[in-house]
Amino acid sequence: MKTPSTPRPAQKKPDGLPDDDTLLEVLKSARELDVGALARQFGLKGEDRRALRQRLKQLADSGKLNKSGRKSFGAVGALPETGVAEVVERDIDGDLWVKWGQRNGMSDHPKLKHKPPLARLAPLKKAIAQTPPAVGDRIYVRFEQTSEEWIAHLVKVLDQGAPKLVGVVRIGKARKGPRDIRLESVDRKSKDSYTLVAGAIDALEDGDVVIAAPQGGNHRYGPKPARLIEVIGKEDSPRIASIMAIHAHGLKVGFDSSTEAEAEAAQAPDLKGREDLRHLPLITIDPQDARDHDDAVYAHADDDDSNPGGYVVWVAIADVAHYVKSGSSLDRDAREKGNSTYFPDRVEPMLPHVLSSGLCSLQEGENRAALAVRMVFNAEGNKIGHQFVRGLMRSAAKLSYEQAQAAIDGTPDDKTQPILDTLLRPLWAAHACLSRGRRERQPLAINSPERKVQLDSEGNVVAITARVSLEAHQLIEEMMIQANVCAAETLEKHRTPLIYRVHEQPSLEKVGNLADFLATIGLPWNKGEPPRTERFNQLLNSQKDGPHAEIINEVVLRTQMQAHYSAENFGHFGLNLDRYAHFTSPIRRYADLIVHRALIRALKLGDDGLTDYEVKTMADTAEHITATERRSMQAEREAIERYVAAFLEDKVGATFEGRIVGVTRFGLFVKLTETGADGIIPASSFVDDYYIHDDTAHALVGERHHRRWTLGRKIEVQLLEAMPMTGGLVFKALSEPEAPDPNAPRPRLGVRSRVDTALRRKGPGGPKGSPKTGKARQKGITEKSKTKKGKRR
């Protein structure tokens, strides 16, 4: 404990204790002392020491001192040198604020008249290799007082990733206490119910969407207690879907104030140390609503006589490394986020707007810093050479995919007509050349349609449409792939560490599952054959016009491993490439920024390249940004599911065409043809038989009549429920199951679900002959089998 160097002479009361003013002044100068240190300072022993402890406790109870521990005291308004604190809020500048004493409720003690001040969490030091804390986390900090505020320096995160939940508040009519404030989780997988018992719960209203933290303890029965952390919106807000996804997955919103300051201070680039590329008529081709443009392209026939029929393709990428220096606040925020996250109504960007949509965006007619690669392809579409340059470019045109495609298809507009012959047709000719090499390479040709949620100005869903794939999309995709390959090859050649984008070949187990499914529809597949993209493509092409094309495409996609980032190279199975790295999107992916810095270091293009520290922590960075990418994907998917459910909420009772895309023991998963929405047909809704899950045949098979619901079949369904808070949809099957196959083996027994067992006892459809509704449905729980005591059978 800290002892003042020059304490004032002790003014002792007749009983040997210093007077109150002396105690308060000493504690004010020391910030925090325990009873023993104070007793030694005043020379107190025995009964006097015990009297001192009692006097300090009285001063604390009266609000004149803060009691910071069982035997430690501090001045009012002061914080200890170190202590446990909780991150309680993030301000509009993105700074985190912490409250001391949350661990045992000290800062909220009812007898404490003067609450301890909040402290601003200082920016993390570069050497701290951990994810920064989030609101609700408990941390151990060192406090420092400046002339303006208290600062908390992070020592250690105690509850990294502490469990939190997002839910909707439900308040009963007879509100007699905190147990009447219930919380319904918006997580469809959650089977728990909660009651809010702590936090600022008095002002809560029914329908508030909040973040809460489950309290500890053993609670076998009834709702579990939870503590309110933050109110984030109302359940009837049109844009609440994205807000819930952001908070449920802990996505950082906004930027630290120091990050914003660095971005605002950025200057437009000049030619110093750069090659002038402004004579190249590079153009950007992006989605219509794109605000950041990080890649530009230009192509022309190769005029080298030794390469007849070949093409030169330029790909220029925004030089983000010029603005985001290693170790800067911009860099720390970008690494923490890992990538931009895209929702139907908003984008949570990796970089501040002034950079992502400003100086780093390759805007038409503006000088922009770029890292560009010049690639040369022969007539067969094979790359025969490339070279990277760090330059200054100026975009000749900003086009949308639809705009460029329309010009090529014969309907140019005023902007594309002047550049049709000089820029667009050469680009398409170069793409035709590259496509020959792509066909020879045989990347995996899976068709994965995407949904686009269209919103009005208020955030309400007006339409859900399928994204149309144009040749313009394929052109940009292939040129970006080739540029990414160049980056990986160059860095390997110069023996410079990098982060690879890897995609490993499917496991034997997944290939075996594929073979089992194909056998159910009469298609052979040799389980012992090593997985090859050519073999998958042969399967897809042979069935592309058949009745099972869609589901085969889906099953082949599920057979693949998930791509990830790695400091080691395992190749990219899907693209059928030996080496691959992400280089072309540094505005929205941290992996690409690392690759840019690696190229700058390897090719000696500046002093802002990859640092030794970044080389040392490359594997950790790869693991971290893989996690942030998957977190963003999950948040994006959940937001879209909620928007889709909101769109379909007023269509309950309507019928739709769909396809069975999943078969489990508790029901069928159906994807609607028109909107791509996913929902479930609970097994409990089938009243004609007891259905058993045959996992080998990917089917539910009737125990008595042997009729079947099989993976991939088309089906007509009726929408029973749409739940915007969870994104859940519940359907009823209107089609009839397939007739039994006399040649099929009897389904394996022993896999009857608890639902099946419950139905056998209660009769088809449950006690009332229909699936459960209400709260259980809101959580996505379609059937629970319970005894009279509430235990699951």
Side-chain angles (χ1 to χ4, degrees):
M1 293 294 180
K2 183 177 178 181
T3 303
S5 56
T6 57
R8 71 181 259 180
Q11 301 295 321
K12 292 189 177 183
K13 299 172 68 176
D15 59 1
L17 295 180
D19 60 37
D20 291 352
D21 291 340
T22 301
L23 281 173
L24 294 175
E25 185 171 340
V26 169
L27 284 167
K28 182 178 181 181
S29 61
R31 286 174 53 183
E32 181 188 36
L33 288 174
D34 62 23
V35 175
L38 277 169
R40 288 191 296 272
Q41 184 169 333
F42 291 109
L44 302 178
K45 298 181 180 179
E47 291 298 327
D48 285 344
R49 180 167 176 161
R50 283 188 285 275
L52 173 65
R53 182 185 301 116
Q54 185 63 28
R55 184 59 191 151
L56 290 170
K57 185 176 183 300
Q58 292 172 356
L59 289 172
D61 289 343
S62 66
K64 294 180 179 180
L65 286 180
N66 280 342
K67 192 172 186 296
S68 55
R70 194 166 65 90
K71 297 182 179 180
S72 298
F73 297 85
V76 170
L79 296 174
E81 290 189 19
T82 60
V84 175
E86 181 180 10
V87 183
V88 293
E89 66 180 58
R90 185 187 295 275
D91 62 22
I92 59 174
D93 295 323
D95 291 338
L96 293 173
W97 292 81
V98 307
K99 179 186 284 189
W100 163 73
Q102 276 298 103
R103 181 175 186 176
N104 52 17
M106 258 183 284
S107 63
D108 292 321
H109 196 281
K111 293 184 178 180
L112 193 60
K113 297 179 181 179
H114 303 280
K115 305 297 183 183
L118 295 182
R120 182 172 59 84
L121 188 65
L124 300 187
K125 295 181 180 179
K126 177 181 175 182
I128 297 179
Q130 61 180 346
T131 302
V135 173
D137 287 347
R138 286 196 313 118
I139 58 178
Y140 189 70
V141 297
R142 176 175 58 82
F143 290 107
E144 174 192 1
Q145 187 176 21
T146 68
S147 59
E148 298 179 351
E149 62 185 353
W150 284 92
I151 303 294
H153 298 273
L154 180 67
V155 177
K156 183 179 181 181
V157 177
L158 301 177
D159 285 338
Q160 184 76 60
K164 302 179 185 69
L165 63 98
V166 177
V168 183
V169 171
R170 299 296 179 209
I171 301 177
K173 293 181 180 180
R175 184 177 176 184
K176 298 180 180 179
R179 288 192 63 82
D180 290 325
I181 306 177
R182 300 299 176 95
L183 189 66
E184 293 182 356
S185 173
V186 300
D187 182 1
R188 276 183 287 170
K189 297 179 181 179
S190 174
K191 298 181 180 179
D192 296 320
S193 60
Y194 298 89
T195 181
L196 292 173
V197 298
I201 61 177
D202 293 338
L204 289 176
E205 297 178 356
D206 195 86
D208 282 343
V209 181
V210 304
I211 306 173
Q215 301 286 73
N218 183 18
H219 304 275
R220 283 185 72 181
Y221 305 107
K224 298 180 179 180
R227 175 173 51 84
L228 174 68
I229 295 177
E230 183 181 359
V231 179
I232 60 174
K234 287 283 192 180
E235 66 174 330
D236 57 357
S237 171
R239 302 181 187 273
I240 194 64
S242 298
I243 296 173
M244 287 192 295
I246 287 171
H247 288 283
H249 294 278
L251 298 179
K252 181 175 181 178
V253 178
F255 300 91
D256 293 341
S257 55
S258 55
T259 300
E260 295 281 9
E262 288 180 2
E264 292 290 344
Q267 301 292 320
D270 54 33
L271 265 174
K272 184 179 180 181
R274 296 183 178 276
E275 184 172 332
D276 194 347
L277 304 177
R278 289 175 292 183
H279 64 285
L280 295 177
L282 292 152
I283 64 173
T284 62
I285 305 178
D286 291 292
Q288 288 180 338
D289 55 356
R291 292 193 297 175
D292 52 74
H293 309 278
D294 47 17
D295 58 84
V297 293
Y298 167 61
H300 62 84
D302 192 0
D303 54 9
D304 188 340
D305 293 338
S306 64
N307 186 29
Y311 277 84
V312 175
V313 176
W314 281 87
V315 172
I317 306 299
D319 189 358
V320 175
H322 173 72
Y323 299 100
V324 183
K325 310 291 186 182
S326 178
S328 65
S329 184
L330 274 166
D331 184 48
R332 286 193 297 271
D333 263 2
R335 186 185 186 278
E336 178 185 351
K337 292 190 171 189
N339 47 263
S340 297
T341 308
Y342 296 85
F343 299 103
D345 65 326
R346 72 191 68 204
V347 176
E348 191 52 51
M350 188 181 79
L351 300 176
H353 175 76
V354 69
L355 290 182
S356 61
S357 300
L359 288 176
C360 289
S361 183
L362 306 182
Q363 297 174 348
E364 181 179 344
E366 300 289 342
N367 289 346
R368 289 292 182 259
L371 194 57
V373 58
R374 179 183 185 270
M375 301 176 286
V376 182
F377 297 87
N378 62 21
E380 287 73 39
N382 299 315
K383 182 170 64 67
I384 58 176
H386 70 267
Q387 179 185 7
F388 282 94
V389 297
R390 202 174 191 185
L392 187 71
M393 63 154 286
R394 182 184 295 150
S395 173
K398 181 187 79 170
L399 305 178
S400 69
Y401 288 113
E402 294 79 7
Q403 195 176 14
Q405 188 68 56
I408 290 296
D409 292 342
T411 55
D413 58 20
D414 293 341
K415 192 167 189 176
T416 55
Q417 181 65 61
I419 61 173
L420 178 58
D421 293 328
T422 56
L423 298 182
L424 294 180
R425 293 196 192 281
L427 274 173
W428 256 255
H431 176 239
C433 175
L434 270 61
S435 296
R436 290 191 282 274
R438 181 183 179 92
R439 285 192 293 271
E440 180 67 24
R441 193 176 79 241
Q442 282 280 314
L444 201 57
I446 293 177
N447 177 30
S448 182
E450 297 181 15
R451 293 172 288 170
K452 182 176 182 179
V453 177
Q454 298 180 2
L455 307 178
D456 61 19
S457 59
E458 300 298 322
N460 298 299
V461 184
V462 294
I464 299 172
T465 58
R467 294 184 184 271
V468 179
S469 179
L470 304 173
E471 188 181 358
H473 292 103
Q474 299 162 18
L475 180 151
I476 295 298
E477 178 187 15
E478 185 60 25
M479 291 182 178
M480 297 305 113
I481 288 173
Q482 294 298 332
N484 288 335
V485 172
C486 291
E489 290 178 349
T490 296
L491 292 173
E492 283 193 351
K493 178 181 177 180
H494 288 81
R495 300 182 182 277
T496 301
L498 71 148
I499 291 180
Y500 293 92
R501 181 64 168 181
V502 299
H503 180 227
E504 292 147 294
Q505 69 178 25
S507 65
L508 293 177
E509 179 184 4
K510 287 194 170 189
V511 173
N513 291 337
L514 171 66
D516 289 339
F517 166 71
L518 293 175
T520 66
I521 57 176
L523 295 177
W525 185 279
N526 184 358
K527 292 184 179 181
E529 182 181 353
R532 295 178 298 112
T533 56
E534 300 97 314
R535 180 69 182 89
F536 284 117
N537 288 342
Q538 289 172 7
L539 170 65
L540 294 169
N541 288 332
S542 68
Q543 302 297 314
K544 65 180 180 180
D545 297 322
H548 303 295
E550 187 176 336
I551 194 60
I552 290 175
N553 185 87
E554 180 80 16
V555 174
V556 170
L557 177 60
R558 294 182 186 182
T559 302
Q560 307 308 310
M561 306 296 284
Q562 196 168 5
H564 61 98
Y565 293 107
S566 172
E568 297 182 63
N569 183 25
F570 301 105
H572 198 293
F573 178 80
L575 294 175
N576 205 8
L577 293 168
D578 293 331
R579 56 194 58 82
Y580 192 65
H582 275 166
F583 159 74
T584 56
S585 297
I587 292 177
R588 60 184 180 90
R589 290 190 305 229
Y590 193 76
D592 304 55
L593 177 56
I594 290 293
V595 169
H596 276 232
R597 290 175 180 161
L599 288 167
I600 293 168
R601 172 175 174 148
L603 301 176
K604 297 178 173 56
L605 298 175
D607 58 3
D608 48 359
L610 202 64
T611 65
D612 292 340
Y613 177 79
E614 287 175 310
V615 171
K616 181 180 178 181
T617 58
M618 190 76 75
D620 292 337
T621 299
E623 183 179 355
H624 169 70
I625 59 180
T626 295
T628 61
E629 178 190 46
R630 294 181 179 178
R631 177 184 65 183
S632 292
M633 291 171 60
Q634 183 68 20
E636 291 167 351
R637 181 164 54 248
E638 288 182 7
I640 289 176
E641 287 173 349
R642 291 187 176 110
Y643 275 113
V644 170
F647 178 69
L648 294 175
E649 189 175 20
D650 63 354
K651 298 174 178 60
V652 170
T655 60
F656 300 90
E657 294 294 328
R659 187 180 293 272
I660 298 174
V661 294
V663 181
T664 68
R665 63 182 179 83
F666 51 84
L668 305 174
F669 288 98
V670 174
K671 183 184 290 292
L672 301 186
T673 304
E674 183 179 357
T675 61
D678 295 292
I680 188 172
I681 302 175
S684 58
S685 66
F686 298 129
V687 299
D688 62 311
D689 205 340
Y690 299 108
Y691 282 85
I692 300 172
H693 180 214
D694 186 344
D695 54 357
T696 301
H698 297 276
L700 286 181
V701 183
E703 188 177 46
R704 290 176 297 183
H705 305 302
H706 309 306
R707 298 199 297 174
R708 308 160 65 87
W709 296 101
T710 57
L711 182 69
R713 68 160 288 186
K714 291 184 177 181
I715 186 172
E716 184 179 15
V717 297
Q718 181 183 37
L719 178 62
L720 295 183
E721 287 195 64
M723 297 157 285
M725 287 296 98
T726 65
L729 300 174
V730 180
F731 300 121
K732 175 185 177 181
L734 299 181
S735 302
E736 292 294 323
E738 298 174 22
D741 182 354
N743 299 318
R746 289 292 300 273
R748 295 183 302 166
L749 298 179
V751 291
R752 180 184 290 120
S753 69
R754 291 171 179 168
V755 171
D756 298 322
T757 304
L759 288 175
R760 180 177 289 280
R761 292 192 180 103
K762 298 178 181 179
K768 297 182 180 180
S770 61
K772 290 170 69 176
T773 59
K775 185 174 181 180
R777 180 79 73 223
Q778 180 67 19
K779 290 186 175 183
I781 304 172
T782 57
E783 180 70 29
K784 283 186 177 180
S785 302
K786 297 183 178 180
T787 66
K788 293 181 180 179
K789 293 184 179 181
K791 294 182 181 179
R792 187 183 293 272
R793 292 190 188 276

